[in-house]
Each structure stands twice: as C-alpha cells, then as structure tokens.
mmCIF file of all heavy atoms in Angstrom:
data_model
loop_
_atom_site.group_PDB
_atom_site.id
_atom_site.type_symbol
_atom_site.label_atom_id
_atom_site.label_comp_id
_atom_site.label_asym_id
_atom_site.label_seq_id
_atom_site.Cartn_x
_atom_site.Cartn_y
_atom_site.Cartn_z
ATOM 1 N N MET A 4 -48.866 -8.627 -15.116
ATOM 2 C CA MET A 4 -49.051 -9.847 -15.850
ATOM 3 C C MET A 4 -47.779 -10.674 -15.747
ATOM 4 O O MET A 4 -46.686 -10.191 -16.003
ATOM 5 C CB MET A 4 -49.348 -9.528 -17.319
ATOM 6 C CG MET A 4 -49.525 -10.762 -18.153
ATOM 7 S SD MET A 4 -49.590 -10.470 -19.909
ATOM 8 C CE MET A 4 -47.894 -10.100 -20.264
ATOM 9 N N HIS A 5 -47.934 -11.918 -15.326
ATOM 10 C CA HIS A 5 -46.812 -12.849 -15.265
ATOM 11 C C HIS A 5 -46.933 -13.837 -16.423
ATOM 12 O O HIS A 5 -48.016 -14.040 -16.969
ATOM 13 C CB HIS A 5 -46.809 -13.615 -13.945
ATOM 14 C CG HIS A 5 -46.446 -12.764 -12.784
ATOM 15 N ND1 HIS A 5 -45.153 -12.381 -12.523
ATOM 16 C CD2 HIS A 5 -47.203 -12.207 -11.817
ATOM 17 C CE1 HIS A 5 -45.128 -11.636 -11.450
ATOM 18 N NE2 HIS A 5 -46.370 -11.506 -10.993
ATOM 19 N N ILE A 6 -45.827 -14.453 -16.771
ATOM 20 C CA ILE A 6 -45.808 -15.453 -17.839
ATOM 21 C C ILE A 6 -45.496 -16.797 -17.211
ATOM 22 O O ILE A 6 -44.522 -16.932 -16.458
ATOM 23 C CB ILE A 6 -44.754 -15.095 -18.903
ATOM 24 C CG1 ILE A 6 -45.029 -13.703 -19.473
ATOM 25 C CG2 ILE A 6 -44.744 -16.138 -20.012
ATOM 26 C CD1 ILE A 6 -43.929 -13.172 -20.360
ATOM 27 N N VAL A 7 -46.340 -17.783 -17.501
ATOM 28 C CA VAL A 7 -46.121 -19.138 -16.984
ATOM 29 C C VAL A 7 -46.185 -20.136 -18.129
ATOM 30 O O VAL A 7 -46.822 -19.891 -19.146
ATOM 31 C CB VAL A 7 -47.163 -19.534 -15.912
ATOM 32 C CG1 VAL A 7 -47.111 -18.601 -14.730
ATOM 33 C CG2 VAL A 7 -48.547 -19.585 -16.482
ATOM 34 N N ALA A 8 -45.525 -21.256 -17.941
ATOM 35 C CA ALA A 8 -45.651 -22.371 -18.876
ATOM 36 C C ALA A 8 -46.870 -23.159 -18.412
ATOM 37 O O ALA A 8 -46.847 -23.776 -17.348
ATOM 38 C CB ALA A 8 -44.398 -23.227 -18.857
ATOM 39 N N PHE A 9 -47.948 -23.091 -19.179
ATOM 40 C CA PHE A 9 -49.182 -23.775 -18.794
ATOM 41 C C PHE A 9 -49.107 -25.214 -19.254
ATOM 42 O O PHE A 9 -48.832 -25.483 -20.417
ATOM 43 C CB PHE A 9 -50.386 -23.067 -19.426
ATOM 44 C CG PHE A 9 -51.632 -23.188 -18.621
ATOM 45 C CD1 PHE A 9 -51.843 -22.361 -17.535
ATOM 46 C CD2 PHE A 9 -52.584 -24.133 -18.931
ATOM 47 C CE1 PHE A 9 -52.994 -22.475 -16.779
ATOM 48 C CE2 PHE A 9 -53.730 -24.256 -18.184
ATOM 49 C CZ PHE A 9 -53.942 -23.423 -17.101
ATOM 50 N N PRO A 10 -49.321 -26.158 -18.357
ATOM 51 C CA PRO A 10 -49.184 -27.574 -18.717
ATOM 52 C C PRO A 10 -50.263 -28.036 -19.689
ATOM 53 O O PRO A 10 -51.358 -27.476 -19.729
ATOM 54 C CB PRO A 10 -49.316 -28.295 -17.373
ATOM 55 C CG PRO A 10 -50.074 -27.355 -16.512
ATOM 56 C CD PRO A 10 -49.722 -25.972 -16.977
ATOM 57 N N ASP A 11 -49.941 -29.053 -20.479
ATOM 58 C CA ASP A 11 -50.924 -29.657 -21.375
ATOM 59 C C ASP A 11 -51.978 -30.378 -20.537
ATOM 60 O O ASP A 11 -51.723 -30.779 -19.411
ATOM 61 C CB ASP A 11 -50.258 -30.654 -22.325
ATOM 62 C CG ASP A 11 -49.362 -29.966 -23.340
ATOM 63 O OD1 ASP A 11 -49.598 -28.779 -23.632
ATOM 64 O OD2 ASP A 11 -48.424 -30.616 -23.827
ATOM 65 N N GLY A 12 -53.136 -30.542 -21.125
ATOM 66 C CA GLY A 12 -54.206 -31.236 -20.417
ATOM 67 C C GLY A 12 -55.268 -30.255 -19.962
ATOM 68 O O GLY A 12 -55.101 -29.040 -20.030
ATOM 69 N N GLU A 13 -56.358 -30.805 -19.492
ATOM 70 C CA GLU A 13 -57.479 -29.961 -19.104
ATOM 71 C C GLU A 13 -57.495 -29.647 -17.611
ATOM 72 O O GLU A 13 -58.157 -28.717 -17.186
ATOM 73 C CB GLU A 13 -58.783 -30.643 -19.516
ATOM 74 C CG GLU A 13 -58.919 -30.749 -21.021
ATOM 75 C CD GLU A 13 -60.274 -31.263 -21.444
ATOM 76 O OE1 GLU A 13 -61.227 -31.158 -20.650
ATOM 77 O OE2 GLU A 13 -60.370 -31.771 -22.564
ATOM 78 N N GLU A 14 -56.786 -30.417 -16.805
ATOM 79 C CA GLU A 14 -56.786 -30.181 -15.374
ATOM 80 C C GLU A 14 -55.829 -29.046 -15.016
ATOM 81 O O GLU A 14 -54.668 -29.038 -15.436
ATOM 82 C CB GLU A 14 -56.383 -31.449 -14.629
ATOM 83 C CG GLU A 14 -56.506 -31.310 -13.128
ATOM 84 C CD GLU A 14 -56.224 -32.608 -12.400
ATOM 85 O OE1 GLU A 14 -56.494 -33.675 -12.969
ATOM 86 O OE2 GLU A 14 -55.732 -32.530 -11.274
ATOM 87 N N ILE A 15 -56.324 -28.090 -14.234
ATOM 88 C CA ILE A 15 -55.494 -26.976 -13.786
ATOM 89 C C ILE A 15 -54.794 -27.404 -12.500
ATOM 90 O O ILE A 15 -55.446 -27.839 -11.552
ATOM 91 C CB ILE A 15 -56.346 -25.718 -13.548
ATOM 92 C CG1 ILE A 15 -57.022 -25.290 -14.857
ATOM 93 C CG2 ILE A 15 -55.492 -24.586 -12.988
ATOM 94 C CD1 ILE A 15 -58.026 -24.174 -14.702
ATOM 95 N N PRO A 16 -53.455 -27.284 -12.439
ATOM 96 C CA PRO A 16 -52.737 -27.712 -11.242
ATOM 97 C C PRO A 16 -53.028 -26.797 -10.046
ATOM 98 O O PRO A 16 -53.543 -25.694 -10.206
ATOM 99 C CB PRO A 16 -51.268 -27.631 -11.661
ATOM 100 C CG PRO A 16 -51.233 -26.712 -12.804
ATOM 101 C CD PRO A 16 -52.571 -26.793 -13.473
ATOM 102 N N GLU A 17 -52.683 -27.260 -8.854
ATOM 103 C CA GLU A 17 -52.894 -26.475 -7.629
ATOM 104 C C GLU A 17 -52.101 -25.168 -7.658
ATOM 105 O O GLU A 17 -52.527 -24.171 -7.094
ATOM 106 C CB GLU A 17 -52.490 -27.290 -6.400
ATOM 107 C CG GLU A 17 -53.450 -28.400 -6.066
ATOM 108 C CD GLU A 17 -54.821 -27.897 -5.642
ATOM 109 O OE1 GLU A 17 -54.912 -26.876 -4.929
ATOM 110 O OE2 GLU A 17 -55.810 -28.532 -6.047
ATOM 111 N N SER A 18 -50.937 -25.199 -8.305
ATOM 112 C CA SER A 18 -50.124 -23.980 -8.391
ATOM 113 C C SER A 18 -49.298 -23.993 -9.675
ATOM 114 O O SER A 18 -49.036 -25.046 -10.241
ATOM 115 C CB SER A 18 -49.196 -23.861 -7.174
ATOM 116 O OG SER A 18 -48.246 -24.892 -7.167
ATOM 117 N N LEU A 19 -48.929 -22.811 -10.101
ATOM 118 C CA LEU A 19 -48.043 -22.619 -11.244
ATOM 119 C C LEU A 19 -46.940 -21.664 -10.798
ATOM 120 O O LEU A 19 -47.164 -20.811 -9.934
ATOM 121 C CB LEU A 19 -48.792 -22.006 -12.433
ATOM 122 C CG LEU A 19 -49.893 -22.853 -13.063
ATOM 123 C CD1 LEU A 19 -50.738 -21.998 -14.003
ATOM 124 C CD2 LEU A 19 -49.285 -24.016 -13.813
ATOM 125 N N THR A 20 -45.773 -21.784 -11.396
ATOM 126 C CA THR A 20 -44.688 -20.871 -11.083
ATOM 127 C C THR A 20 -44.362 -20.061 -12.326
ATOM 128 O O THR A 20 -44.073 -20.627 -13.379
ATOM 129 C CB THR A 20 -43.433 -21.637 -10.610
ATOM 130 O OG1 THR A 20 -43.791 -22.430 -9.469
ATOM 131 C CG2 THR A 20 -42.324 -20.687 -10.227
ATOM 132 N N ALA A 21 -44.431 -18.747 -12.185
ATOM 133 C CA ALA A 21 -44.106 -17.854 -13.294
ATOM 134 C C ALA A 21 -42.603 -17.902 -13.565
ATOM 135 O O ALA A 21 -41.820 -18.331 -12.710
ATOM 136 C CB ALA A 21 -44.540 -16.429 -12.961
ATOM 137 N N TYR A 22 -42.196 -17.452 -14.740
ATOM 138 C CA TYR A 22 -40.770 -17.460 -15.080
ATOM 139 C C TYR A 22 -39.942 -16.602 -14.125
ATOM 140 O O TYR A 22 -38.760 -16.843 -13.937
ATOM 141 C CB TYR A 22 -40.552 -17.010 -16.528
ATOM 142 C CG TYR A 22 -40.945 -18.075 -17.523
ATOM 143 C CD1 TYR A 22 -42.068 -17.933 -18.328
ATOM 144 C CD2 TYR A 22 -40.207 -19.241 -17.646
ATOM 145 C CE1 TYR A 22 -42.430 -18.920 -19.230
ATOM 146 C CE2 TYR A 22 -40.563 -20.236 -18.536
ATOM 147 C CZ TYR A 22 -41.683 -20.062 -19.335
ATOM 148 O OH TYR A 22 -42.031 -21.053 -20.211
ATOM 149 N N CYS A 23 -40.571 -15.637 -13.460
ATOM 150 C CA CYS A 23 -39.845 -14.801 -12.504
ATOM 151 C C CYS A 23 -39.697 -15.474 -11.145
ATOM 152 O O CYS A 23 -38.966 -15.002 -10.282
ATOM 153 C CB CYS A 23 -40.560 -13.464 -12.329
ATOM 154 S SG CYS A 23 -42.161 -13.601 -11.492
ATOM 155 N N GLY A 24 -40.433 -16.594 -10.936
ATOM 156 C CA GLY A 24 -40.381 -17.297 -9.661
ATOM 157 C C GLY A 24 -41.629 -17.102 -8.810
ATOM 158 O O GLY A 24 -41.778 -17.735 -7.771
ATOM 159 N N GLU A 25 -42.530 -16.224 -9.215
ATOM 160 C CA GLU A 25 -43.768 -15.974 -8.473
ATOM 161 C C GLU A 25 -44.642 -17.228 -8.472
ATOM 162 O O GLU A 25 -44.915 -17.807 -9.515
ATOM 163 C CB GLU A 25 -44.533 -14.818 -9.129
ATOM 164 C CG GLU A 25 -45.824 -14.454 -8.453
ATOM 165 C CD GLU A 25 -45.639 -13.636 -7.195
ATOM 166 O OE1 GLU A 25 -44.575 -13.022 -7.023
ATOM 167 O OE2 GLU A 25 -46.568 -13.613 -6.383
ATOM 168 N N LEU A 26 -45.082 -17.641 -7.286
ATOM 169 C CA LEU A 26 -45.959 -18.793 -7.140
ATOM 170 C C LEU A 26 -47.399 -18.309 -7.280
ATOM 171 O O LEU A 26 -47.828 -17.393 -6.578
ATOM 172 C CB LEU A 26 -45.750 -19.465 -5.781
ATOM 173 C CG LEU A 26 -46.595 -20.705 -5.526
ATOM 174 C CD1 LEU A 26 -46.198 -21.828 -6.485
ATOM 175 C CD2 LEU A 26 -46.451 -21.150 -4.088
ATOM 176 N N ILE A 27 -48.153 -18.922 -8.188
ATOM 177 C CA ILE A 27 -49.539 -18.540 -8.440
ATOM 178 C C ILE A 27 -50.417 -19.730 -8.079
ATOM 179 O O ILE A 27 -50.309 -20.795 -8.683
ATOM 180 C CB ILE A 27 -49.731 -18.128 -9.911
ATOM 181 C CG1 ILE A 27 -48.794 -16.960 -10.241
ATOM 182 C CG2 ILE A 27 -51.188 -17.769 -10.182
ATOM 183 C CD1 ILE A 27 -48.705 -16.626 -11.699
ATOM 184 N N LEU A 28 -51.274 -19.545 -7.081
ATOM 185 C CA LEU A 28 -52.156 -20.609 -6.618
ATOM 186 C C LEU A 28 -53.428 -20.640 -7.454
ATOM 187 O O LEU A 28 -53.907 -19.597 -7.917
ATOM 188 C CB LEU A 28 -52.499 -20.404 -5.148
ATOM 189 C CG LEU A 28 -51.302 -20.374 -4.192
ATOM 190 C CD1 LEU A 28 -51.770 -20.064 -2.779
ATOM 191 C CD2 LEU A 28 -50.539 -21.672 -4.238
ATOM 192 N N ARG A 29 -53.969 -21.836 -7.635
ATOM 193 C CA ARG A 29 -55.200 -21.999 -8.408
ATOM 194 C C ARG A 29 -56.300 -21.123 -7.803
ATOM 195 O O ARG A 29 -56.481 -21.072 -6.595
ATOM 196 C CB ARG A 29 -55.630 -23.457 -8.422
ATOM 197 C CG ARG A 29 -56.858 -23.684 -9.285
ATOM 198 C CD ARG A 29 -57.178 -25.105 -9.555
ATOM 199 N NE ARG A 29 -57.299 -25.903 -8.343
ATOM 200 C CZ ARG A 29 -57.406 -27.218 -8.348
ATOM 201 N NH1 ARG A 29 -57.374 -27.887 -9.472
ATOM 202 N NH2 ARG A 29 -57.518 -27.868 -7.222
ATOM 203 N N GLY A 30 -57.014 -20.413 -8.673
ATOM 204 C CA GLY A 30 -58.111 -19.559 -8.233
ATOM 205 C C GLY A 30 -57.717 -18.140 -7.888
ATOM 206 O O GLY A 30 -58.571 -17.327 -7.551
ATOM 207 N N THR A 31 -56.414 -17.810 -7.957
ATOM 208 C CA THR A 31 -55.978 -16.458 -7.601
ATOM 209 C C THR A 31 -55.591 -15.626 -8.816
ATOM 210 O O THR A 31 -55.200 -14.473 -8.663
ATOM 211 C CB THR A 31 -54.796 -16.488 -6.616
ATOM 212 O OG1 THR A 31 -53.683 -17.124 -7.238
ATOM 213 C CG2 THR A 31 -55.164 -17.208 -5.337
ATOM 214 N N ALA A 32 -55.668 -16.211 -10.002
ATOM 215 C CA ALA A 32 -55.303 -15.494 -11.224
ATOM 216 C C ALA A 32 -56.166 -16.023 -12.364
ATOM 217 O O ALA A 32 -56.838 -17.037 -12.232
ATOM 218 C CB ALA A 32 -53.823 -15.698 -11.541
ATOM 219 N N GLU A 33 -56.147 -15.308 -13.466
ATOM 220 C CA GLU A 33 -56.893 -15.771 -14.637
ATOM 221 C C GLU A 33 -55.934 -16.045 -15.783
ATOM 222 O O GLU A 33 -54.920 -15.380 -15.925
ATOM 223 C CB GLU A 33 -57.954 -14.757 -15.060
ATOM 224 C CG GLU A 33 -57.394 -13.390 -15.415
ATOM 225 C CD GLU A 33 -58.477 -12.379 -15.722
ATOM 226 O OE1 GLU A 33 -59.387 -12.695 -16.511
ATOM 227 O OE2 GLU A 33 -58.406 -11.282 -15.168
ATOM 228 N N ALA A 34 -56.254 -17.042 -16.585
ATOM 229 C CA ALA A 34 -55.454 -17.384 -17.758
ATOM 230 C C ALA A 34 -55.945 -16.534 -18.924
ATOM 231 O O ALA A 34 -57.144 -16.463 -19.187
ATOM 232 C CB ALA A 34 -55.593 -18.861 -18.080
ATOM 233 N N LEU A 35 -55.030 -15.873 -19.595
ATOM 234 C CA LEU A 35 -55.360 -15.019 -20.735
ATOM 235 C C LEU A 35 -54.936 -15.700 -22.027
ATOM 236 O O LEU A 35 -53.937 -16.411 -22.065
ATOM 237 C CB LEU A 35 -54.648 -13.670 -20.604
ATOM 238 C CG LEU A 35 -54.920 -12.889 -19.321
ATOM 239 C CD1 LEU A 35 -54.035 -11.650 -19.267
ATOM 240 C CD2 LEU A 35 -56.386 -12.501 -19.225
ATOM 241 N N THR A 36 -55.683 -15.456 -23.087
ATOM 242 C CA THR A 36 -55.333 -16.034 -24.383
ATOM 243 C C THR A 36 -54.327 -15.180 -25.139
ATOM 244 O O THR A 36 -53.734 -15.641 -26.105
ATOM 245 C CB THR A 36 -56.587 -16.211 -25.251
ATOM 246 O OG1 THR A 36 -57.219 -14.943 -25.395
ATOM 247 C CG2 THR A 36 -57.557 -17.200 -24.608
ATOM 248 N N LYS A 37 -54.135 -13.943 -24.706
ATOM 249 C CA LYS A 37 -53.147 -13.053 -25.317
ATOM 250 C C LYS A 37 -52.650 -12.076 -24.256
ATOM 251 O O LYS A 37 -53.318 -11.889 -23.234
ATOM 252 C CB LYS A 37 -53.741 -12.322 -26.518
ATOM 253 C CG LYS A 37 -54.917 -11.438 -26.182
ATOM 254 C CD LYS A 37 -55.498 -10.801 -27.421
ATOM 255 C CE LYS A 37 -56.686 -9.940 -27.044
ATOM 256 N NZ LYS A 37 -57.253 -9.268 -28.180
ATOM 257 N N PRO A 38 -51.492 -11.464 -24.458
ATOM 258 C CA PRO A 38 -50.963 -10.522 -23.468
ATOM 259 C C PRO A 38 -51.929 -9.359 -23.225
ATOM 260 O O PRO A 38 -52.586 -8.870 -24.140
ATOM 261 C CB PRO A 38 -49.668 -10.015 -24.102
ATOM 262 C CG PRO A 38 -49.271 -11.067 -25.066
ATOM 263 C CD PRO A 38 -50.563 -11.645 -25.582
ATOM 264 N N CYS A 39 -52.006 -8.956 -21.970
ATOM 265 C CA CYS A 39 -52.891 -7.860 -21.589
ATOM 266 C C CYS A 39 -52.354 -7.265 -20.286
ATOM 267 O O CYS A 39 -52.094 -7.997 -19.337
ATOM 268 C CB CYS A 39 -54.305 -8.395 -21.405
ATOM 269 S SG CYS A 39 -55.476 -7.157 -20.857
ATOM 270 N N GLY A 40 -52.159 -5.975 -20.230
ATOM 271 C CA GLY A 40 -51.680 -5.342 -19.012
ATOM 272 C C GLY A 40 -50.175 -5.185 -18.992
ATOM 273 O O GLY A 40 -49.476 -5.521 -19.942
ATOM 274 N N MET A 41 -49.680 -4.673 -17.888
ATOM 275 C CA MET A 41 -48.250 -4.428 -17.712
ATOM 276 C C MET A 41 -47.533 -5.741 -17.426
ATOM 277 O O MET A 41 -47.842 -6.422 -16.457
ATOM 278 C CB MET A 41 -48.049 -3.447 -16.554
ATOM 279 C CG MET A 41 -46.644 -3.020 -16.366
ATOM 280 S SD MET A 41 -46.145 -2.027 -17.775
ATOM 281 C CE MET A 41 -44.497 -1.632 -17.322
ATOM 282 N N PRO A 42 -46.577 -6.131 -18.277
ATOM 283 C CA PRO A 42 -45.883 -7.408 -18.056
ATOM 284 C C PRO A 42 -44.830 -7.307 -16.956
ATOM 285 O O PRO A 42 -44.290 -6.241 -16.688
ATOM 286 C CB PRO A 42 -45.225 -7.677 -19.410
ATOM 287 C CG PRO A 42 -44.999 -6.326 -19.979
ATOM 288 C CD PRO A 42 -46.148 -5.474 -19.500
ATOM 289 N N CYS A 43 -44.553 -8.425 -16.342
ATOM 290 C CA CYS A 43 -43.469 -8.536 -15.371
ATOM 291 C C CYS A 43 -42.159 -8.562 -16.159
ATOM 292 O O CYS A 43 -41.959 -9.441 -17.011
ATOM 293 C CB CYS A 43 -43.658 -9.823 -14.564
ATOM 294 S SG CYS A 43 -42.248 -10.268 -13.541
ATOM 295 N N THR A 44 -41.279 -7.624 -15.897
ATOM 296 C CA THR A 44 -40.023 -7.518 -16.637
ATOM 297 C C THR A 44 -39.171 -8.774 -16.486
ATOM 298 O O THR A 44 -38.611 -9.277 -17.465
ATOM 299 C CB THR A 44 -39.223 -6.290 -16.172
ATOM 300 O OG1 THR A 44 -40.048 -5.132 -16.288
ATOM 301 C CG2 THR A 44 -37.965 -6.104 -17.001
ATOM 302 N N LEU A 45 -39.098 -9.330 -15.289
ATOM 303 C CA LEU A 45 -38.281 -10.520 -15.073
ATOM 304 C C LEU A 45 -38.854 -11.721 -15.835
ATOM 305 O O LEU A 45 -38.109 -12.518 -16.398
ATOM 306 C CB LEU A 45 -38.160 -10.826 -13.585
ATOM 307 C CG LEU A 45 -37.113 -11.841 -13.165
ATOM 308 C CD1 LEU A 45 -35.731 -11.520 -13.743
ATOM 309 C CD2 LEU A 45 -37.042 -11.921 -11.652
ATOM 310 N N CYS A 46 -40.187 -11.834 -15.890
ATOM 311 C CA CYS A 46 -40.803 -12.902 -16.686
ATOM 312 C C CYS A 46 -40.409 -12.754 -18.159
ATOM 313 O O CYS A 46 -40.096 -13.738 -18.825
ATOM 314 C CB CYS A 46 -42.328 -12.856 -16.573
ATOM 315 S SG CYS A 46 -43.017 -13.639 -15.110
ATOM 316 N N LEU A 47 -40.448 -11.531 -18.671
ATOM 317 C CA LEU A 47 -40.074 -11.301 -20.068
ATOM 318 C C LEU A 47 -38.631 -11.706 -20.328
ATOM 319 O O LEU A 47 -38.314 -12.300 -21.352
ATOM 320 C CB LEU A 47 -40.282 -9.837 -20.453
ATOM 321 C CG LEU A 47 -41.724 -9.370 -20.560
ATOM 322 C CD1 LEU A 47 -41.766 -7.868 -20.829
ATOM 323 C CD2 LEU A 47 -42.459 -10.125 -21.640
ATOM 324 N N TRP A 48 -37.746 -11.394 -19.413
ATOM 325 C CA TRP A 48 -36.332 -11.723 -19.576
ATOM 326 C C TRP A 48 -36.094 -13.228 -19.559
ATOM 327 O O TRP A 48 -35.231 -13.732 -20.258
ATOM 328 C CB TRP A 48 -35.499 -11.079 -18.461
ATOM 329 C CG TRP A 48 -35.094 -9.678 -18.774
ATOM 330 C CD1 TRP A 48 -35.802 -8.555 -18.492
ATOM 331 C CD2 TRP A 48 -33.908 -9.254 -19.428
ATOM 332 N NE1 TRP A 48 -35.128 -7.454 -18.927
ATOM 333 C CE2 TRP A 48 -33.953 -7.855 -19.505
ATOM 334 C CE3 TRP A 48 -32.809 -9.926 -19.946
ATOM 335 C CZ2 TRP A 48 -32.944 -7.116 -20.089
ATOM 336 C CZ3 TRP A 48 -31.800 -9.184 -20.524
ATOM 337 C CH2 TRP A 48 -31.874 -7.794 -20.591
ATOM 338 N N ARG A 49 -36.873 -13.939 -18.732
ATOM 339 C CA ARG A 49 -36.630 -15.371 -18.541
ATOM 340 C C ARG A 49 -37.460 -16.279 -19.438
ATOM 341 O O ARG A 49 -37.174 -17.473 -19.531
ATOM 342 C CB ARG A 49 -36.880 -15.738 -17.082
ATOM 343 C CG ARG A 49 -35.857 -15.132 -16.154
ATOM 344 C CD ARG A 49 -36.099 -15.556 -14.738
ATOM 345 N NE ARG A 49 -35.029 -15.098 -13.860
ATOM 346 C CZ ARG A 49 -35.071 -15.205 -12.555
ATOM 347 N NH1 ARG A 49 -36.101 -15.767 -11.963
ATOM 348 N NH2 ARG A 49 -34.058 -14.758 -11.831
ATOM 349 N N ALA A 50 -38.503 -15.751 -20.067
ATOM 350 C CA ALA A 50 -39.364 -16.580 -20.924
ATOM 351 C C ALA A 50 -38.570 -17.043 -22.145
ATOM 352 O O ALA A 50 -37.786 -16.283 -22.714
ATOM 353 C CB ALA A 50 -40.591 -15.795 -21.362
ATOM 354 N N PRO A 51 -38.753 -18.311 -22.545
ATOM 355 C CA PRO A 51 -38.031 -18.807 -23.722
ATOM 356 C C PRO A 51 -38.507 -18.125 -24.998
ATOM 357 O O PRO A 51 -39.676 -17.758 -25.120
ATOM 358 C CB PRO A 51 -38.363 -20.303 -23.739
ATOM 359 C CG PRO A 51 -39.597 -20.443 -22.935
ATOM 360 C CD PRO A 51 -39.621 -19.313 -21.945
ATOM 361 N N LEU A 52 -37.598 -17.952 -25.912
ATOM 362 C CA LEU A 52 -37.928 -17.364 -27.209
ATOM 363 C C LEU A 52 -38.519 -18.431 -28.129
ATOM 364 O O LEU A 52 -38.226 -19.618 -27.971
ATOM 365 C CB LEU A 52 -36.669 -16.774 -27.854
ATOM 366 C CG LEU A 52 -36.033 -15.595 -27.129
ATOM 367 C CD1 LEU A 52 -34.713 -15.227 -27.793
ATOM 368 C CD2 LEU A 52 -36.974 -14.405 -27.107
ATOM 369 N N PRO A 53 -39.331 -18.016 -29.091
ATOM 370 C CA PRO A 53 -39.855 -19.004 -30.049
ATOM 371 C C PRO A 53 -38.718 -19.521 -30.925
ATOM 372 O O PRO A 53 -37.665 -18.884 -31.035
ATOM 373 C CB PRO A 53 -40.869 -18.208 -30.873
ATOM 374 C CG PRO A 53 -40.468 -16.787 -30.707
ATOM 375 C CD PRO A 53 -39.811 -16.672 -29.355
ATOM 376 N N PRO A 54 -38.921 -20.665 -31.562
ATOM 377 C CA PRO A 54 -37.861 -21.197 -32.429
ATOM 378 C C PRO A 54 -37.642 -20.275 -33.630
ATOM 379 O O PRO A 54 -38.555 -19.558 -34.041
ATOM 380 C CB PRO A 54 -38.405 -22.554 -32.872
ATOM 381 C CG PRO A 54 -39.874 -22.472 -32.693
ATOM 382 C CD PRO A 54 -40.111 -21.507 -31.563
ATOM 383 N N PRO A 55 -36.433 -20.291 -34.197
ATOM 384 C CA PRO A 55 -36.183 -19.499 -35.397
ATOM 385 C C PRO A 55 -37.110 -19.956 -36.528
ATOM 386 O O PRO A 55 -37.548 -21.113 -36.549
ATOM 387 C CB PRO A 55 -34.723 -19.765 -35.741
ATOM 388 C CG PRO A 55 -34.182 -20.634 -34.688
ATOM 389 C CD PRO A 55 -35.275 -21.042 -33.762
ATOM 390 N N PRO A 56 -37.405 -19.073 -37.484
ATOM 391 C CA PRO A 56 -38.317 -19.432 -38.584
ATOM 392 C C PRO A 56 -37.934 -20.716 -39.313
ATOM 393 O O PRO A 56 -38.803 -21.449 -39.756
ATOM 394 C CB PRO A 56 -38.253 -18.233 -39.508
ATOM 395 C CG PRO A 56 -37.829 -17.106 -38.645
ATOM 396 C CD PRO A 56 -36.942 -17.708 -37.582
ATOM 397 N N SER A 57 -36.654 -21.017 -39.425
ATOM 398 C CA SER A 57 -36.227 -22.219 -40.129
ATOM 399 C C SER A 57 -36.649 -23.501 -39.406
ATOM 400 O O SER A 57 -36.653 -24.573 -39.998
ATOM 401 C CB SER A 57 -34.725 -22.220 -40.319
ATOM 402 O OG SER A 57 -34.069 -22.242 -39.065
ATOM 403 N N GLU A 58 -36.995 -23.405 -38.109
ATOM 404 C CA GLU A 58 -37.374 -24.579 -37.338
ATOM 405 C C GLU A 58 -38.889 -24.678 -37.129
ATOM 406 O O GLU A 58 -39.362 -25.612 -36.501
ATOM 407 C CB GLU A 58 -36.684 -24.558 -35.977
ATOM 408 C CG GLU A 58 -35.172 -24.692 -36.071
ATOM 409 C CD GLU A 58 -34.502 -24.688 -34.717
ATOM 410 O OE1 GLU A 58 -35.176 -25.027 -33.708
ATOM 411 O OE2 GLU A 58 -33.330 -24.342 -34.641
ATOM 412 N N LEU A 59 -39.649 -23.735 -37.667
ATOM 413 C CA LEU A 59 -41.100 -23.787 -37.527
ATOM 414 C C LEU A 59 -41.665 -24.886 -38.435
ATOM 415 O O LEU A 59 -41.154 -25.117 -39.524
ATOM 416 C CB LEU A 59 -41.735 -22.442 -37.900
ATOM 417 C CG LEU A 59 -41.487 -21.291 -36.927
ATOM 418 C CD1 LEU A 59 -42.064 -20.009 -37.496
ATOM 419 C CD2 LEU A 59 -42.105 -21.581 -35.575
ATOM 420 N N PRO A 60 -42.713 -25.539 -37.995
ATOM 421 C CA PRO A 60 -43.325 -26.567 -38.853
ATOM 422 C C PRO A 60 -43.948 -25.936 -40.103
ATOM 423 O O PRO A 60 -44.316 -24.765 -40.103
ATOM 424 C CB PRO A 60 -44.402 -27.204 -37.966
ATOM 425 C CG PRO A 60 -44.596 -26.254 -36.835
ATOM 426 C CD PRO A 60 -43.373 -25.409 -36.722
ATOM 427 N N ALA A 61 -44.042 -26.703 -41.161
ATOM 428 C CA ALA A 61 -44.625 -26.209 -42.420
ATOM 429 C C ALA A 61 -46.045 -25.744 -42.177
ATOM 430 O O ALA A 61 -46.804 -26.357 -41.441
ATOM 431 C CB ALA A 61 -44.602 -27.328 -43.461
ATOM 432 N N GLY A 62 -46.394 -24.614 -42.748
ATOM 433 C CA GLY A 62 -47.725 -24.067 -42.630
ATOM 434 C C GLY A 62 -47.931 -23.216 -41.395
ATOM 435 O O GLY A 62 -49.022 -22.756 -41.124
ATOM 436 N N ALA A 63 -46.880 -22.994 -40.593
ATOM 437 C CA ALA A 63 -47.025 -22.196 -39.372
ATOM 438 C C ALA A 63 -46.907 -20.717 -39.675
ATOM 439 O O ALA A 63 -46.369 -20.285 -40.604
ATOM 440 C CB ALA A 63 -45.982 -22.588 -38.352
#
C-alpha cells in the first residue's frame, strides 16, 4: 500500500506520485477509504503528519 496526496475534484489524474516516489498510473491501482494491507515504509516516513490538536477546527 502506497500513500498519495489525492487531488481535490472528481476527475482522476493520469498519474499520481506516492510519497515514496512511486509513479501510479490511472487504472493500475485502487483508491481506499482507509488503510488496508502492508504499508510502504518510505511512504509512512514521508507522509505529512496531521496538525496538532490545538490547530484542529472546532468540532473535529
């Protein structure tokens, strides 16, 4: 499992680049709504962390 920043909008781009640098072409992978499977260690290391609790919007 790779981690990618999925762009806003409904159109899926021709390719996405995972945080590890892996190029993923449209139609060769599936988008998951939650983590599933063995994660790519480099993607985990490079993925941005969520904001600290003090910076979360009210009601989050």
Side-chain angles (χ1 to χ4, degrees):
M4 179 190 73
H5 289 284
I6 303 171
V7 300
F9 209 81
D11 291 335
E13 294 187 21
E14 186 175 330
I15 299 172
E17 287 294 321
S18 66
L19 295 167
T20 303
Y22 286 110
C23 68
E25 180 78 20
L26 181 66
I27 302 170
L28 301 176
R29 184 169 54 189
T31 62
E33 59 185 312
L35 304 174
T36 57
K37 61 183 179 178
C39 177
M41 186 67 179
C43 169
T44 305
L45 193 51
C46 278
L47 290 175
W48 274 89
R49 292 182 174 172
L52 295 173
S57 63
E58 294 181 23
L59 290 175

